[in-house]
Every structure is written in structure tokens, then in C-alpha cells.
Amino acid sequence: METTLRGVGVSHGVAIGEVRHMGTAVLEPPAKRIPVEEAEREQGRARQAVEAVAADLIARGNLAGGEAQHVLEAQAMMAQDPELMADVERRIAVGSTAERAVYDAFAAYRALLANAGEYLAGRVADLDDVRNRIVARLLGVPMPGVPDSDEPYVLIARDLAPADTALLDPALVLGFVTEEGGPTSHSAILARALGVPAVVALPGAGELAEGTVVAVDGSTGEIFVEPSAEKRAEMESAAAARKAALSASSGPGATSDGHRVPLLANVGGPGDVPAAVEAGAEGVGLFRTEFLFLDDSTQAPSEEKQVAAYRAVLEAFPEGRVVVRVLDAGADKPLDFLTPADEPNPALGVRGLRSLLDHPGVLRTQLTALSKAARGLPVHLEVMAPMVADRADAKAFADACREAGLQAKFGAMVEIPSAALRARSILREVEFLSLGTNDLAQYTFAADRQVGAVSRLQDPWQPALLDLVALSAEAARAEGRSCGVCGEAASDPLLACVLAGLGVTSLSMGAASIPYVRATLAKYTLAQCERAASAARAADSAEEARVAAQMVLSGE
């Protein structure tokens, strides 16, 4: 009999197929003791396993490219963390086997992060995956992972680590469903990049029996178990209609009555540019520059290396708009040369612009490199600072840009509620705002963006979050400035209409989402979008807001 489950839809599309489960995690190794004379040998085994796992992650990243490459390279750095390795060697020295020492060291680090409430706890799935890979290698057993199958299937897992998600074959994995995770987890972001329908934060997903037929709607988050023939036909028809609409959609982003809403791409480096161009992106709304700095956490990349990387992206959008975010270090992206190692709560400490203002040489080099990279190009360069809290932050960043001789617009990201509440004040120092809805939701609701248990508070349809977006857009309009959204909220086609109705002037998202958003915006007038936005803000929950907006746009 057909039953319906609901999780959080994070990647558009429909998948219908039989359930296959992800391999189980590596078993806990036995806690046996070793003689003291074997410690050096065991320490060598541990180091070799760590290096092999790091090399494998980097190789997987090279194969996947784009966003996945940056995520996996960061995970490789996690495997090689010197403090973790020192703890492993200490445990071996007092009698643990290599595999038990790795297991216990990672468990201690995991518990420390969770108990401290740190933002890094949002990378627990990544941390567990690294541990499992090292332990599996030490035990000499295969690493459990994506199941072998000659037939397409829907993948079910407790969670998916980036190393698994990055190399999913869309020809075999029709879609995936996880019990954990949230709309801004690495797996969700990579699913959108792959164009694989996905639903996360579905408790009990692991109880679905192997071989059960399910229909997954990655837009609504609904899972239909043993769907009827009528339901399958309905979903397949809707999917075909959506595909036809996408094929027919082209050109600049706009509502049906011609109100322009430029659709831009989020990119992490030159490797993401081809997909953005192919999707018809009108420019880049978020160029994450961290990828350059994660190669070596001990020192900043040279000015020459930065110039080459920035220019490769700028050249891809002649006469287009490219918005660059300067280095956003700290919290889940620690860098030895820049961020404090002993902060009790890095998410609320020295991160983003705060780190750069503490290290003005790093900021000056990056701004100078951007200036040189744009020289002679017709591109419209805009540069923004992450984690701006108030007018003083905005002024400090604008002053640094001017001192570096940067010929570009200077902007501020709105990721902290104070920046939304005081947006007009901030706009007296900078020329545009860009809303990072992922972090803005996290800080508004005190809800870690990677923890499935609080995923409802990470839902970008939350009316309180829409209120902050509206405040920012209204401030920008009053000051004659632009206000874009570059968080994952922009990739939801229905929410994109609501954001346009709130006064947002541009939307930036993963390349795979651009055709969906373009086709949906083109169906409605600006007035309809404004009415949908008002209805969503009047609601009391994310689900009510979504339904209210849908009813307005459908004419009900």
C-alpha cells in the first residue's frame, strides 16, 4: 500500500526506483594491547594509512573536479591533521594498536567538537568518513560504500560523506535519501551539482527494505513508498513537463512581465566555470576564493598564483558581473597561518573579515591580486567581505579596498542578523549587499547547518529569515543599492520567486539550478511574486510559508 514520508528536499527532480542501502560503517576495532617494542611499527602503519587515505581523497577530488574537488581536498587535510596524528601516536605509545588508536583519537575529537557546540561539528559526517577509511585500511577490509548494481536504484544512507557523493554515477544512482544532513550539507550541495534528486533529514529512512520501490521528489522532500501506478504516472508526467519547460527556457532571468532578476552562479574556482557558462549564468554571484588557500594551511598562496586563478574566472564572463568573496577562513575552514587554534567556539569567534583585519597583509595581497587579475578586462568586478557585523566592519573593508587601489564595487555579505537589522548603516560604507542565507539562518536560529536534528530551523522558508531578507532588500532600495542572495535559498525555484517579490535584485546558485529558477520565474509577474512574498511572511512556519506562496502563485 502506498505511504508517504517527508524529509527535506535539497536537489530538484524525480527519481523512481528500487531501494539499495549504503554499506554499513566500519566496525569498532578490538581494544587489544600491544607490547611496547611494537609501538614504533604500529605508528608507522598509522602514518602510512593516513597518507594513503589522504591521497585517495585527493585522487577522487581530481576525478570529480569542481565543488567536489575542493570539499575532498579539505577532507584530505582533515585526515592529515597534525594534532590528530599526534594523539594517535601517543595512544599507540601507551599500548593501543594503530586501528584502535585512530578510532579512539577521532572519537575524542568528535566528542570535543560536539560538546563545545562548535561550528566544526557540522562536519561530523566528513570526520567519521575519514576515520572509517583509515580504520578499514589498517584492518585490511574494503571500505563500505555505494552498493554494486547493474540496475539503476535509489540510494538510502544514514548520511553520505563527500567522498561517496562526489563520484556517484547519475546513470545508476537515480536519487538518494539520507536520515541525517541538512539543506546546506556537503552532500546536498554536491547532489545539486550532480543534478541528482535528493532528500535529507528523513528519520527512519534506513528502515526501508532493500528492493522496495520508492518515488523521490527532490523538490518537495516527499517519498512515496510503493507508489501506485497513478502516482508514478503523475510524477513522471510532472517530471517530463518540467524537463520540457527547462529546455524551452533561455536568456536572462526575468519575470513574465519583464522584471529583470539576473541569475548568477556560485563557483569555487576555474573548474566550476564551464558548467556555469553552459547553464547560461549571467555572471558569478559568489566566487569562493578559499580553494586557493586550502592547498597549504601553513601559508597564503603567492600573489602570482592568486592572479592566475582569479583571471581564469574573470575571463569567462566578458562584460558580465563577477562577485568575489575575499577569503572566508575560520570555523569549518581553519588555516594555521590565519585562524586561532584554541578558540572554544570558532563559529562565534575570529572568522571571515575578522581574521583578515587581524592579518592585513593577507587581505592586501588578495585585493592587489584581484586588481591585477581584472586589469584590461571588460568584466564588472565586485568584491565583498564575509561575516560583516556592523558599519565599522564595512568601513574597514572599504578602506582596505581603496588602499589596495582596487577598481571595483565594494560590498558586504549579510550573514549575521545584526547586518540585516542595520543594513542601511552598512550601505553608507559599501555599494551592495549579498545575503548568505545559509549562515544567516544558522545564526538567526542558533541551528548548526549540518545537524539533521535542527534542519527545520535551517529551512530558508522560515518566516523570520524572510523578514531579515526583506529588511536588507528594503534598506538597499532606500539607499539605491543592489541586494542579491547567494545562499542555497536562491536554488529553490519557488523561493526564488518569493525572494524577487521581497525586492532581491539578483540570485546566485549552483549552475545546475539555474535552468529551474529561470523557467519558474518566467511563469509569474512581479506582482504575483510580491503577493507570494507577503503570504509567506505572514505564515508561522516554513511549511505554512511554502504552501501559502504556492497557493498565491497557482491562483488558488
Side-chain angles (χ1 to χ4, degrees):
M1 184 175 68
E2 178 181 310
T3 57
T4 304
L5 307 174
R6 183 182 289 276
V8 178
V10 296
S11 184
H12 309 301
V14 169
I16 302 175
E18 292 188 359
V19 162
R20 295 285 182 275
H21 285 270
M22 191 79 173
T24 56
V26 174
L27 295 175
E28 180 179 348
K32 65 180 183 181
R33 312 299 291 174
I34 60 168
V36 174
E37 58 269 21
E38 291 183 18
E40 188 173 344
R41 180 181 66 85
E42 288 293 288
Q43 289 172 341
R45 286 182 64 228
R47 285 192 294 270
Q48 288 174 0
V50 164
E51 291 306 317
V53 166
D56 178 63
L57 290 168
I58 290 170
R60 285 169 175 261
N62 290 336
L63 282 173
E67 181 76 29
Q69 182 172 7
H70 311 141
V71 171
L72 292 175
E73 286 175 351
Q75 204 178 6
M77 288 176 60
M78 184 183 290
Q80 297 169 305
D81 183 275
E83 290 186 17
L84 262 174
M85 196 63 227
D87 190 19
V88 169
E89 294 189 344
R90 181 188 62 78
R91 292 172 186 272
I92 293 172
V94 295
S96 283
T97 61
E99 49 267 33
R100 186 71 206 190
V102 167
Y103 187 91
D104 288 342
F106 273 78
Y109 188 43
R110 190 184 200 276
L112 175 66
L113 296 177
N115 292 335
E118 297 187 11
Y119 183 75
L120 276 172
R123 295 294 180 255
V124 161
D126 300 21
L127 187 69
D128 287 349
D129 183 60
V130 170
R131 177 203 64 203
N132 290 347
R133 290 176 187 280
I134 297 171
V135 171
R137 184 169 287 272
L138 287 166
L139 291 174
V141 300
M143 174 65 193
V146 177
D148 289 328
S149 176
D150 295 328
E151 297 296 325
Y153 59 89
V154 174
L155 180 63
I156 306 292
R158 185 184 64 79
D159 204 346
L160 281 172
D164 295 313
T165 314
L167 296 182
L168 290 179
D169 182 354
L172 283 176
V173 182
L174 301 172
F176 68 75
V177 180
T178 66
E179 295 190 62
E180 298 294 329
T184 58
S185 66
H186 276 155
S187 290
I189 292 170
L190 294 178
R192 286 188 285 271
L194 288 166
V196 177
V199 172
V200 302
L202 179 67
E207 297 172 12
L208 291 168
E210 191 88 2
T212 302
V213 175
V214 296
V216 179
D217 190 325
S219 299
T220 65
E222 291 175 306
I223 310 293
F224 300 95
V225 182
E226 298 293 358
S228 64
E230 291 78 14
K231 173 59 70 176
R232 292 179 67 154
E234 175 190 328
M235 294 184 73
E236 287 168 350
S237 175
R242 184 181 298 168
K243 186 175 180 180
L246 292 178
S247 300
S249 175
S250 61
T255 58
S256 63
D257 55 342
H259 174 73
R260 287 288 315 280
V261 185
L263 303 181
L264 313 171
N266 294 343
V267 304
D272 294 336
V273 167
V277 173
E278 184 179 353
E282 298 170 62
V284 172
L286 173 62
F287 178 8
R288 306 181 184 93
T289 57
E290 291 79 48
F291 80 102
L292 273 173
F293 293 79
L294 292 175
D295 287 343
D296 183 353
S297 67
T298 63
Q299 61 181 353
S302 68
E303 182 181 302
E304 293 73 20
K305 183 176 180 180
Q306 292 189 53
V307 169
Y310 302 151
R311 193 170 180 90
V313 174
L314 297 176
E315 287 177 335
F317 295 94
E319 300 184 11
R321 178 185 178 201
V322 175
V323 184
V324 179
R325 180 178 70 191
V326 294
L327 176 62
D328 184 15
D332 65 329
K333 297 180 286 269
L335 295 170
D336 294 345
F337 68 91
L338 195 67
T339 49
D342 55 353
E343 281 192 297
N345 194 340
L348 302 180
V350 182
R351 63 166 295 196
L353 179 62
R354 298 167 187 174
S355 294
L356 293 174
L357 294 178
D358 280 352
H359 298 80
V362 174
L363 176 58
R364 184 165 50 251
T365 298
Q366 185 169 26
L367 294 174
T368 302
L370 284 165
S371 180
K372 290 182 178 179
R375 197 168 292 162
L377 297 179
V379 68
H380 299 287
L381 176 63
E382 301 184 14
V383 181
M384 62 185 181
M387 302 302 294
V388 170
D390 57 15
R391 183 173 179 174
D393 277 352
K395 182 179 187 304
F397 178 65
D399 287 346
C401 290
R402 282 188 283 267
E403 288 170 11
L406 188 62
Q407 299 298 308
K409 285 187 176 181
F410 317 142
M413 290 198 71
V414 177
E415 301 165 283
I416 303 173
S418 64
L421 294 168
R422 301 290 294 171
R424 278 194 84 165
S425 173
I426 287 171
L427 283 167
R428 295 191 176 105
E429 302 294 343
V430 295
E431 299 173 86
F432 69 93
L433 299 177
S434 183
L435 288 141
T437 51
N438 306 350
D439 268 323
L440 185 58
Q442 173 172 250
Y443 290 122
T444 298
F445 296 103
D448 191 298
R449 54 193 276 191
Q450 301 295 319
V451 177
V454 293
S455 63
R456 76 172 186 86
L457 297 172
Q458 267 293 326
D459 192 324
W461 281 93
Q462 284 286 354
L465 186 65
L466 298 181
D467 287 344
L468 292 176
V469 173
L471 277 175
S472 303
E474 288 164 7
R477 186 186 305 114
E479 294 293 324
R481 305 295 194 185
S482 63
C483 176
V485 167
C486 64
E488 292 300 315
S491 65
D492 179 334
L494 182 63
L495 185 51
C497 296
V498 167
L499 294 173
L502 291 174
V504 167
T505 56
S506 66
L507 299 167
S508 189
M509 65 209 76
S513 298
I514 291 175
Y516 289 93
V517 173
R518 182 192 292 118
T520 305
L521 267 178
K523 292 165 58 177
Y524 306 108
T525 65
L526 176 60
Q528 287 177 298
C529 294
E530 290 172 340
R531 289 196 295 273
S534 295
R537 289 184 68 189
D540 291 321
S541 71
E543 182 57 29
E544 289 177 12
R546 185 183 289 105
V547 170
Q550 181 65 69
M551 290 179 65
V552 169
L553 293 176
S554 63
E556 295 180 20

